Amino acid sequence: MKRKYLLLLALSGSIYLFDQWTKVFVIKHFRLGETYSLISGFFSFTYVRNTGAAFGLMAQADPSFRIPFFVAVPVLALGVIAWIFRRIPDSDVKLSTALSLVIGGAIGNLTDRLRLGYVVDFIDFHWRDRAYFPAFNVADSAICIGVAILMLDLFAKDEETTHASHSA
């Protein structure tokens, strides 16, 4: 089996399993809205149900639109990512890693939507009682890290192209 597919299975599988394990833990040990402070005034675990997209966007949309939308979009995105993944060179570990993180996270959140009708969020950063970052989960973290790697790689390649054109 090619190295990129081993990486895909190992990384996306690990992300998915850890994401689902943490969500089951939160559901079993927390009441909805319950908070456990880990670093007072900064970091807590808080059980939240997110029916919307990132940061709760579209959470208030009509369920007859919202639910099919939030199932169809990840399935379509996973199809596009799989198509891209098949075309990347086996030696491109950075791109394989980034896409594997996104795939593992997307499947984790999609599982929640299909199984529960919402996504379980619980990682809660805030600054005292003044500023709150929306709660998120392991899957969201993996997706963001994967996208960040993709963006940094894109900027690095753009920088290489700019340098190459100026020195020619």
Side-chain angles (χ1 to χ4, degrees), residues 94-95 147-161:
K94 191 183 323 177
L95 189 53
V147 169
I149 292 168
L150 290 170
M151 292 174 65
L152 290 171
D153 190 49
L154 180 65
F155 290 135
K157 287 180 181 172
D158 185 46
E159 194 67 25
E160 289 172 13
T161 304

Side-chain angles (χ1 to χ4, degrees), residues 105-145:
I107 294 172
N109 282 340
L110 180 59
T111 298
D112 281 14
R113 290 195 189 282
L114 293 172
R115 189 170 61 90
L116 303 169
Y118 54 86
V119 173
V120 174
D121 288 332
F122 60 92
I123 301 170
D124 181 15
F125 284 99
H126 50 277
W127 181 249
R128 303 181 194 251
D129 288 330
R130 295 182 208 137
Y132 286 87
F133 189 81
F136 57 100
N137 58 46
V138 172
D140 297 335
S141 300
I143 293 168
C144 289
I145 292 167

